[in-house]
């Protein structure tokens, strides 16, 4: 089952996110996925966790941290990471 995560649409300069229900070796899991762009750098990351559990870290937190790293190593990037919660 696919579900859009609209609260992930305001990361970096452009972003989108979704959640996907799946099974890995007959074990139900969720994938929370976000992709974003900062200048010429594109990033995609995911958090996978067992269905019915909460993830140990949110995909938004992971993406925000990655955005900060992109800013550190990319001199042509806008120098302000996303801070929206």
């Amino acid at each position: 089952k696919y579900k859009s995560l609209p609260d992930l649409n305001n990361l970096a300069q452009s972003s989108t996110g979704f959640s996907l229900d799946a099974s890995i070796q007959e074990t139900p899991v969720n994938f929370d996925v976000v992709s974003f762009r900062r200048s010429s750098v594109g990033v995609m990351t995911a958090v996978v966790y067992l269905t019915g559990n909460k993830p140990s870290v949110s995909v938004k937190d992971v993406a925000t941290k990655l955005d900060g790293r992109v800013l550190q190593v990319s001199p042509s990037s806008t120098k302000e990471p996303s801070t929206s919660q």
Side-chain angles (χ1 to χ4, degrees), residues 5-11 15-18 32-35 59-60:
L5 298 174
D7 62 321
L8 298 177
N9 290 345
N10 58 358
L11 301 172
S15 64
T16 191
F18 64 90
D32 290 348
V33 181
V34 64
S35 61
V59 73
K60 185 174 185 175

Side-chain angles (χ1 to χ4, degrees), residues 56-76:
S56 57
V57 62
S58 77
V59 73
K60 185 174 185 175
D61 289 346
V62 173
T64 300
K65 186 163 193 132
L66 284 172
D67 186 29
R69 296 290 172 100
V70 169
L71 286 169
Q72 288 176 350
V73 299
S74 181
S76 64

Side-chain angles (χ1 to χ4, degrees), residues 14-31:
S14 177
S15 64
T16 191
F18 64 90
S19 182
L20 185 65
D21 299 342
S23 291
I24 298 177
Q25 296 182 347
E26 299 181 24
T27 302
V29 295
N30 296 91
F31 288 84

